[in-house]
Amino acid sequence: MRLKNKKYSIMVLSILVSLIFAYKFLFADSSKNIKTNLPKSKSGFFLGTHVEISLYDNSSDEIFDECFNILKDVEDKMSINIDTSEVSNINKNAGKSPVKVSSQTFSVIKRGLYYSSLSKGHFDISIGSLVKLWEIGSENAKVPSKEEIEKSKSTINYKNILLDEKAQTVKLANKDMFIDLGGIAKGYAADVLANVLKSKKIESAIINLGGNVYALGSKPNGKTWNIGIQNPFEPRGKHLGILNINNKSIVTSGVYERFLEKNGKRYHHILSPFTGYPVENSLVSITIIADNSIDADGLSTTVFSLGLDAGRELVESLDGIDAIFVTNKKEVYTTSSLKNNFSLLNNDFKIIHK
């Protein structure tokens, strides 16, 4: 009996071991998919906004550390709120002498000048003095006097930003000029992060820099990302529609979050270099979809400032760029190639095919 029991025990043990190996073999792929469907996310605060990076591939904390170090480096170089930044140094030397900067800052300023020129000054990176004057979005926000606005307007002219490619220097030709890369630096940072993640073989990720979104690759299941487009008449997180995209950056500019109210009038943060006041047109938000986030970032302010007709004409003329326009009448316009990739969720809005 002992021998029989021993043989029986060995047989049972063998079956259990076989089942364990079979389970691992059969369900290895599915368990991996379950794991990658749940992102590993980390957040922080950089470039004046909340940042969240979500990785759907196997990843380590070192990748997040590297990404946050990159964001800190961009902030240290390009923020006007850091007294020792390269951009602050350029502003301190306005009308005096050229300032040598890093290749990163130089390339962002150069791209900013491209969009300043493309928009014919509607987007102008030398608008810093006006931004500082209004300070919309901060606790010091105020409506400046007409005299203050006129003085500030006289300092704005992107053509007076002088670049020396060989020496890699930037000079502001006139005293009191003040550049601000807030309308383009986040886009640059998102592109750098996306390239780092690609180099680490990350195939599915969402980079969110305060609403500046880069959807890397596709969903872990191979399907397109579903990106919600903010309803500009509702609190953040309420969407008017869904955009289906892969490997694209999505940037929205609108009048609904950063604003100042005084004497019953609302002043939003998108300022016109020509009037010195917030841009006034029928738009309440504009979403740009592009391969590169720096382009989506620069174009979002540009297109909003141009308005519906001129802005749409500009976007349609650019390769690889699409846009969603939302008006104060809750009308939604899209560029032609987006018609099959965007769908409304809210019946209060109406897509206008034009």
Side-chain angles (χ1 to χ4, degrees), residues 39 41 57 68-70 76 118 138 176 193-194 231 258 296 303:
S41 302
D57 296 276
F68 288 155
N69 286 338
I70 288 169
D76 288 345
L118 185 70
S138 78
D176 296 326
L193 295 185
N231 182 338
R258 292 169 56 193
V303 173

Side-chain angles (χ1 to χ4, degrees), residues 33-52:
N33 287 336
I34 290 170
K35 182 177 181 180
T36 55
N37 277 330
L38 298 174
K40 187 173 184 180
S41 302
K42 285 201 172 182
S43 59
F45 192 85
F46 300 93
L47 296 166
T49 193
H50 176 78
V51 170
E52 184 170 27

